[in-house]
Every structure is written in structure tokens, then in C-alpha cells.
Amino acid sequence: MSIAAAITPPPQAAKRRLMSGNEAVARAVWEAGVRVAAAYPGTPATEMLEYVATYPDIYTEWSVNEKVSLEVAFGATMAGSRSFCAMKHVGMNVASDALMTMTLTGVKAGLVIAIADDVGLSSSQNEQDSRYWGRFAHVPLLEPADSQEAHDFTLAAFEISERFEVPVIIRLTTRICHVKGLVSIGERNERAATGFTKDVNRWVMVPSGASRRLPLMFERERRLRAEAENSALNVIEPGSDRRLGFITSGPAYMHVRESFPDAPVCKLGFTFPLPFDLLRRFAGKCEQLLVVEEVEPLIETELKAQGIIVSGKDFLPLIGELSPQVLKPAVARLLGEPVSAQAKAVPMQLFPRPPTMCVACPHLGVYYTLSQLRNVTISGDIGCYTLGFGQPWNALDVCISMGASMGMALGLDKGRSDVEKDQKIVAVIGDSTFLHMGMQGLLDIVYNRGNVTVLLLDNRAIGMTGGQDNPGSGRDIHGKEAPRVDFATLVKALGVRAERVHVVDAYQLPVLLRTLRAETKIPEPSVIITNQPCVLIKDYHALRPYRVIEDRCTGCGNCVDVGCPAIHVTRRDRVRKASGREVDLAFVRIESAACTGCGLCLQPCAPDAIVHVDALATPIKVVRKSSELVKAPQDV
């Protein structure tokens, strides 16, 4: 169940509440009188829309991708309704086509775009800095430093958006999105839609119209810079140790204040356009200046261009969070001081936990099967199934961005060398990702007669970000029934011949292997759709679990190769066969309490050492029904 379907809407009385940055933004969206909100899930931004969806006053939707979500929000603002859009940093790459033109048209009602940057690469393929979008699109950008500011800056963003008729970007990071703090909240300021006013010179962006809007955009930026100079979001905090002053923004401010409580700080909340006059005044109060920003040297570069002498990335790293463990030794080097042992201390290293798929994940069998194929190149995509590159499968060769598996597979086919003429090309993509950006790639494969086999893994959820719904799940953001895409019909409509489309049970390994081997031999596009749900959503129904009969286990390790985390190696050995060949053995047990009875491990087990747990030994699960606790045996 999604957060949106599970969370009870917060009470409306003004008070202080413990909130994450994502939750605080959502609360402010509601208070601001927003009528339409749209997003595509992406960590660390996902929960913003899930929390917004708990407020019945707002229309919310999971859009098919970030570009569509921004277009929906823009359409609402043209209709005179305040609107909101949220995405992670790479999502703006998808949405930017719309952004770069709506900055010319401007907006009617307020439009705020929340972009969450994954500083430190917690769950992303890159660490791009979304502050560039403010400069690139000539739109104002605000950076909160904690949950309270996430709330307050969102309210301020709507006011700025309407006053200057411009989209406003709120730039958060993983630290702001997920860390909780006390937030003072208020009531909703209801705003009725004012309606759409036809104006082709503004809303129809042909070249002649765009050329007339460009001077207006630059004049708006001039006024926004004056606004930033006097904005209460930019604050100079005096300090007694004037040897070094800090210019910083966002969560980096918290790290600076924790590390150097006596230093003067210019805390920027309105970070584009930059308030150069304010910064010059601050520079006159300090002997040296250090710009502390995550992650690119944007402010540093612009200040140097203004002739303001600052230090920055010559002492600080270009990657990762600027925590006290990073800041203190860097500042010591800048001031020519010895680096203390305390400053050199590094955080305690956590016990390594390699990422893996869930117990009974339907992707396990897919990658186990792919690992059995030879002479194959596998083009991967963004999702839980990206983990197929690792142990024990080693069954994914390339992955760069969402939806790219299709285009890369076609390129690998068309660009192959003579020695690779018999190489099989397989593209792997999930259901939501296919709808997000993969459909166009498959159409390109069909249109250009690519020799590619596509594995479309339909698990009825956006699993990587928490099991959110999508057009392939048959439910909307509120968990209500919605039209469900028929993937077999869809890929046929895109031009894949009917005899080349197969729907396969992801847990039936022999069928999956036979189908893959057959389709990769045929030199035309084919699609194999697996159709088992994610094990973490309500569509999945656990079966009777398994255990290992210790005396029968030969240590062959076939079940280990499936990659299920419920299977534990208890002992390893090495033996020499009669042929003289040495073989590694892995004797195992199954954590029956975790097992859901999918049967994947059973199929490659040669000695039949894996059997059902006895009925009487089946783990008891406690479930809540009709407000009463009852004990229920696991399904058999």
C-alpha cells in the first residue's frame, strides 16, 4: 500500500509537528491553496506527492513521467489554479523541454517545482546539481536548510511565482527530504481557479512569439535580482571570529554552523539570482571568505566573476555532503593550522550490506535465467532490476538512464563488429520504466528492424521507490481502481509481431529459459513479458515456505545462484572429482520465516533437498482484522 493510501491526513489546526522536509513541503503546498499536484516517483522526492495526496482538497496524480507531470502542473496554472510538481534531480532532465519554454510564457497562478538532489548518491546514477536549472531557465531558485524552511520557503515560492509570473524551483537534497524536525504549520488559504484567458502571443510559443517574450524574461530576472538583495530568505549572521566568513546555502549551512559556531555566515536561501551587493557587504566584514556549497562551484564561480575574492572547491571536495568531518580539516588547511586528530576522524564505517533483491522477487528468476545464457549482451535500465549486474547473477552489462535500455540495445545491434555478428542482444526494462520512457525506444527498434529481444518485467509497481502505482497497476495514487495497460496489446500496437510477443510466469524457470533461447535466435524484435507482482505489494500472495533437508544437500550451490536472500550458506567445502577437477561446494539452509514459497530455489535443486515446511511448523503471522488481533497460519 502506498503512503498516500495509508496515511491519515494531518489535522488542520495550527500547531508544531515533527516533519521530514518532504512532508513539510507537502503541508505548505496544501496551505498555499494549491489545486493540482503531479509527479513521477523518484527517491528522495517520492514522498512529497504521497503526502500531498493525503489532502482531499488537491487533485493529485502519478504522471507517466516527469515531463508530463510538469505539463499537467503548467496547464493548471494557465487555468488559474496554483499547482505543484515534484521530481528528483534526474527527473528534471526529462522535464526540461517543457521548463525551458514555460520560462518564456511565464505562469498565471503560482507554480512551484520541487527538485530533490541526491547528494552523496544514495540511490541515483549521478550527482548532478539542480541549481544550474535556475540559471539555465532564468527562474528563481530557493534552498531550504531544514524542515521548517522547506515549509516556509514553499509558501514564499508561491508568492514569488505569482508576483513575478514565473515558475519557482525549490531545491532540496536527500538530507532535507528525509531528516525530520519540528515545523510550525498553519491553515489552508483557499484559492479559487480564475480561469484560462486566451492569449496566443503568450501561450503559443512559435518563434515570433518567443522572440517577443525573451526581453520580458531578462527584465524579470533583473527585478528578481533586486528582490534577492532585499529578501528575508538571505541572512547575514555575525560572528566573533572574523578570520574566515562562510557563504553557504541549504543543508551545508547546518554543517557550517555546527562546525564553526563563532564564524560569520552569509546564509543564502534565495540563491538565484544571487544578491551580489549583499555578498559584497558581507565580504567587507571578513578577512577571508569560503563558499560551502553542494556540489558544484556555482556560487563560487559567479562571485569570482564579480571580482569578489573567495575560496571554495580548491579546499573542498566536488562530490558528496560537506559534513563537519569534511569541513573541519579543509578549513584548517585554508587557515594554515594543523589538522587536529579530532578533525581527521572519520565516521564509523557501517557493516557492508551489498544491495540485493527481496526474497521471492520475480526478477530473481529472470536474472538467474539470463545468467545461463551464453554469447549475450544485456542492456539494462533503472529499477530494482538494475541489481542484476551484481552477484550472483552478473547478468547486466550496461545501464545509464531511465528508458535507455531500448535505445542502447538497438545501438549495440546496429554498431556490432564483425566478430559479434552472432551476439544476442537482450534489453531488460520494468513496467513503469517502459511507460515512462521505454515505449519510444521499442518503437524505434521495431521501425529500424533491430535484432533485439526485450524482457519487459511487469511487477505491477514502481518497486524501487516504494511500490507506487502506475498505469500498469490498475490503481491510481489513492489506491482506487483505474484503467490498466495491457502490455501485450501495447507492444503489438507498437509494431512487434504477435508471434514474437510472449507472456511468461517469472517463477517458471524452464519456460522462461526456453522462451529466451528461442527468441534470441530469431533476427527480429521480440518481447517477453513476465507477469508476477512485486512481493511487497498487496497483489502478491505468499505460499507455503520451504526448508532444506540437510542430509540431502550435496552442496551443488544451484539454489544459491538464484540469489534469494532467504537462502544462507552454512558451510563451504572444496572437493576433487574423479576427473581431477576441483569443485567448490556450498551447503545451505533456508530461512523459512522469510521464505514466501515462490519455488524458484526448488527448480534448480538437483538432489530434491528442498521441501515444504511441515504444516504444523509453518510460521504464524499476526494480522489485524476488524480492529482485533487474530492469529492466522500462512497460506498453504
Side-chain angles (χ1 to χ4, degrees):
M1 182 180 294
S2 68
I3 290 180
I7 293 178
T8 301
Q12 297 181 7
K15 63 169 100 174
R16 297 185 76 196
R17 299 187 67 234
L18 187 65
M19 289 180 163
S20 67
N22 283 343
E23 190 176 0
V25 168
R27 177 71 188 197
V29 166
W30 177 76
E31 292 177 15
V34 166
R35 293 172 59 87
V36 175
Y40 179 83
T43 304
T46 305
E47 296 87 359
M48 274 185 266
L49 198 72
E50 290 186 316
Y51 282 116
V52 171
T54 66
Y55 297 98
D57 317 74
I58 305 174
Y59 167 80
T60 51
E61 72 167 45
W62 286 131
S63 302
V64 72
N65 64 30
E66 294 87 357
K67 180 175 183 289
V68 173
S69 74
L70 184 52
E71 290 160 350
V72 169
F74 181 58
T77 184
M78 286 192 292
S81 290
R82 280 190 169 185
S83 61
F84 173 73
C85 185
M87 61 196 71
K88 69 182 294 181
H89 59 294
V90 289
M92 182 46 76
N93 299 337
V94 179
S96 61
D97 185 28
L99 175 69
M100 296 305 291
T101 301
M102 68 176 65
T103 185
L104 292 176
T105 66
V107 300
K108 186 177 179 183
L111 170 58
V112 173
I113 307 166
I115 308 178
D117 284 4
D118 191 12
V119 177
L121 295 167
S122 298
S123 58
S124 305
Q125 66 268 37
N126 64 40
E127 196 187 33
Q128 71 189 51
D129 192 327
S130 292
R131 295 179 301 160
Y132 276 111
W133 291 112
R135 290 140 176 91
F136 195 14
H138 302 277
V139 298
L141 189 141
L142 310 183
E143 288 188 75
D146 59 18
S147 294
Q148 182 68 65
E149 289 191 353
H151 173 274
D152 297 347
F153 284 23
T154 301
L155 292 174
F158 279 105
E159 188 273 330
I160 293 169
S161 175
E162 289 190 347
R163 187 148 51 93
F164 291 90
E165 297 187 334
V166 62
V168 177
I169 293 175
I170 298 280
R171 188 254 188 164
L172 304 100
T173 70
T174 302
R175 180 73 56 177
I176 300 300
C177 290
H178 291 160
V179 171
K180 293 196 173 189
L182 285 174
V183 179
S184 296
I185 58 176
E187 298 288 352
R188 179 169 171 85
N189 182 10
E190 195 66 56
R191 292 171 178 266
T194 57
F196 175 66
T197 302
K198 292 187 177 183
D199 183 354
V200 294
N201 291 322
R202 179 179 185 182
W203 302 123
V204 181
M205 280 294 95
V206 294
S208 59
S211 63
R212 287 192 294 268
R213 300 291 300 183
L214 278 167
L216 300 178
M217 180 185 73
F218 290 118
E219 169 58 21
R220 181 187 69 206
E221 186 169 311
R222 184 193 65 77
R223 291 187 291 117
L224 282 166
R225 193 173 299 280
E227 178 76 10
E229 291 287 355
N230 299 297
S231 174
L233 305 182
N234 296 325
V235 180
I236 291 178
E237 299 179 353
S240 58
D241 185 356
R242 298 173 58 186
R243 292 177 303 158
L244 182 64
F246 293 89
I247 298 171
T248 187
S249 63
Y253 162 78
M254 294 297 191
H255 298 313
V256 168
R257 188 45 79 207
E258 178 183 346
S259 303
F260 306 100
D262 299 324
V265 175
C266 183
K267 177 183 177 296
L268 299 174
F270 197 142
T271 60
F272 183 80
L274 280 175
F276 291 126
D277 291 343
L278 176 72
L279 290 164
R280 285 192 182 93
R281 292 197 300 272
F282 178 69
K285 302 176 184 293
C286 308
E287 297 176 19
Q288 295 186 75
L289 291 176
L290 179 66
V291 179
V292 181
E293 53 187 326
E294 297 172 344
V295 285
E296 300 274 357
L298 270 72
I299 296 174
E300 175 188 347
T301 300
E302 292 183 9
L303 292 182
K304 287 178 177 177
Q306 290 288 316
I308 301 174
I309 300 173
V310 298
S311 297
K313 296 302 181 181
D314 42 350
F315 289 93
L316 295 169
L318 282 161
I319 59 175
E321 292 187 298
L322 300 178
S323 64
Q325 290 83 4
V326 174
L327 280 175
K328 289 179 179 179
V331 168
R333 289 192 297 270
L334 173 60
L335 296 177
E337 298 174 346
V339 180
S340 67
Q342 184 179 5
K344 289 180 181 178
V346 297
M348 181 178 65
Q349 295 299 307
L350 299 176
F351 186 81
R353 296 178 61 194
T356 189
M357 298 178 202
C358 298
V359 172
C361 174
H363 303 334
L364 292 172
V366 171
Y367 279 108
Y368 173 79
T369 303
L370 285 172
S371 70
Q372 309 303 306
L373 298 182
R374 298 294 175 262
N375 197 31
V376 61
T377 300
I378 304 168
S379 176
D381 223 295
I382 302 298
C384 299
Y385 43 86
T386 309
L387 296 170
F389 82 94
Q391 297 287 353
W393 314 282
N394 302 310
L396 192 150
D397 301 306
V398 293
C399 177
I400 58 164
S401 64
M402 191 166 283
S405 60
M406 303 284 107
M408 292 190 300
L410 181 60
L412 286 164
D413 173 36
K414 300 300 184 181
R416 67 175 75 207
S417 66
D418 290 340
V419 297
E420 296 171 318
K421 60 184 178 63
D422 296 324
Q423 188 82 0
K424 304 175 184 71
I425 308 295
V426 174
V428 181
I429 192 166
D431 52 341
S432 175
T433 308
F434 181 74
L435 298 171
H436 176 280
M437 274 292 181
M439 290 188 289
Q440 300 92 327
L442 178 59
L443 182 59
D444 201 49
I445 290 171
V446 172
Y447 176 64
N448 292 291
R449 301 179 180 87
N451 182 7
V452 176
T453 300
V454 175
L455 267 169
L456 203 172
L457 313 183
D458 178 14
N459 67 352
R460 304 177 209 170
I462 308 177
M464 185 171 63
T465 53
Q468 290 77 24
D469 289 303
N470 66 79
S473 69
R475 290 182 294 270
D476 65 13
I477 190 171
H478 302 288
K480 296 179 180 178
E481 186 176 347
R484 182 182 176 191
V485 170
D486 184 322
F487 285 102
T489 301
L490 177 58
V491 299
K492 292 172 190 174
L494 291 172
V496 182
R497 293 199 299 135
E499 53 267 41
R500 298 277 70 81
V501 179
H502 304 272
V503 179
V504 178
D505 186 335
Y507 295 128
Q508 296 299 318
L509 299 184
V511 177
L512 185 56
L513 182 58
R514 284 197 305 270
T515 308
L516 262 172
R517 282 177 171 167
E519 290 304 319
T520 53
K521 292 176 182 177
I522 297 172
E524 65 176 280
S526 60
V527 177
I528 302 170
I529 303 167
T530 61
N531 65 349
Q532 286 288 349
C534 170
V535 299
L536 299 180
I537 66 174
K538 63 182 180 182
D539 294 352
Y540 181 79
H541 300 289
L543 301 173
R544 188 174 166 190
Y546 289 96
R547 66 182 179 89
V548 176
I549 300 176
E550 186 176 347
D551 294 342
R552 287 190 195 172
C553 181
T554 62
C556 69
N558 290 341
C559 60
V560 176
D561 293 338
V562 171
C564 179
I567 299 173
H568 298 265
V569 176
T570 59
R571 177 170 60 91
R572 295 188 182 274
D573 202 354
R574 172 170 287 191
V575 298
R576 187 182 297 274
K577 297 289 188 179
S579 63
R581 183 171 64 94
E582 288 191 335
V583 177
D584 290 322
L585 301 179
F587 299 88
V588 304
R589 68 176 175 86
I590 293 175
E591 191 66 53
S592 298
C595 176
T596 66
C598 71
L600 283 172
C601 59
L602 186 69
Q603 297 172 66
C605 179
D608 295 327
I610 299 174
V611 298
H612 277 300
V613 170
D614 295 337
L616 292 178
T618 300
I620 298 297
K621 291 189 174 181
V622 176
V623 298
R624 189 175 294 274
K625 184 178 180 182
S626 302
S627 302
E628 295 180 0
L629 285 178
V630 298
K631 291 185 177 180
Q634 194 164 3
D635 294 337
V636 294

